Amino acid sequence: MPPVAPAIGDPAPLGLAAFALTTFVLSFFNAGLVSDKGLPVVLGLALAYGGIAQLLAGMWEFRNNNTFGGTAFTSYGAFWISFFVLEQFQADKIPAANLGAAVGLYLIAWGIFTAYMWIASFRVSAAVMVVFFLLATTFIVLGIGEANSSDSIVKAGGWIGIATAIAAWYASFATVTNKTFGRAVLPVREFK
């Protein structure tokens, strides 16, 4: 008989929290609520928390046989790492005349991925479904704003991103709280 691997805790609250905090901070910059001069503060979050912590949560979700969670957290962890690499090492190599279109394509492509993950989330929970709907909208609006060099559309995407982060924090908080208390304290409305 093969050895049985030990059980691990639910990595979803970690993945959701890492995603939420990093998205929240970046969205404040996108919404124009803080000066762009402080944008480098996002890079540490993007690499360590949004990137690496979320990537680890994804690997643990695969270990838990959760294809949805594994795909989501690993992908968005990789998104944040790629965002770090783009901002830190690559953006200044793209001609200014092409940067908006390139970043717009990057964001819209993530919006397409997120849209199909939103459809898959219909089997997870209402809380997660709201996160993916808002995130798909955020990526697409930001992508359109960047592609068209429209500050007002980017700012709208920033506000939607703030709503996305709040929804993800709620889903994380509810999962941690419900598991800690051993009962449904905060509703997430699971669809399984």
Side-chain angles (χ1 to χ4, degrees):
M1 173 181 236
V4 177
I8 64 170
D10 185 356
L14 168 63
L16 286 162
F19 170 78
L21 192 147
T22 312
T23 300
F24 186 79
V25 173
L26 178 59
S27 294
F28 260 69
F29 289 98
N30 287 335
L33 298 173
V34 291
S35 169
D36 282 350
K37 292 179 180 173
L39 191 59
V41 77
V42 177
L43 297 179
L45 285 172
L47 180 60
Y49 200 41
I52 295 170
Q54 217 176 158
L55 186 74
L56 290 169
M59 294 297 103
W60 289 318
E61 284 286 21
F62 281 127
R63 163 64 181 79
N64 277 343
N65 198 30
N66 182 349
T67 301
F68 179 87
T71 301
F73 294 132
T74 303
S75 295
Y76 295 113
F79 162 78
W80 283 113
I81 293 168
S82 76
F83 175 82
F84 171 84
V85 170
L86 174 65
E87 288 292 320
Q88 193 70 22
F89 305 111
Q90 303 298 320
D92 63 346
K93 295 177 182 158
I94 301 170
N98 304 105
L99 184 61
V103 172
L105 174 61
Y106 169 79
L107 294 169
I108 290 170
W110 277 103
I112 292 167
F113 168 74
T114 304
Y116 83 65
M117 291 299 288
W118 171 62
I119 293 168
S121 77
F122 292 3
R123 295 288 296 159
V124 179
S125 71
V128 169
M129 192 172 77
V130 167
V131 172
F132 278 87
F133 174 77
L134 289 170
L135 181 57
T137 305
T138 300
F139 275 131
I140 291 168
V141 170
L142 287 173
I144 292 168
E146 290 290 342
N148 292 296
S149 299
S150 171
D151 287 343
S152 61
I153 295 175
V154 169
K155 284 181 180 180
W159 282 101
I160 301 165
I162 291 168
T164 303
I166 291 167
W169 259 329
Y170 175 83
S172 173
F173 176 55
T175 304
V176 168
T177 303
N178 294 346
K179 289 192 182 282
T180 302
F181 282 81
R183 61 185 172 83
V185 176
L186 298 167
V188 293
R189 193 165 168 238
E190 292 189 17
F191 295 142
K192 295 179 183 182

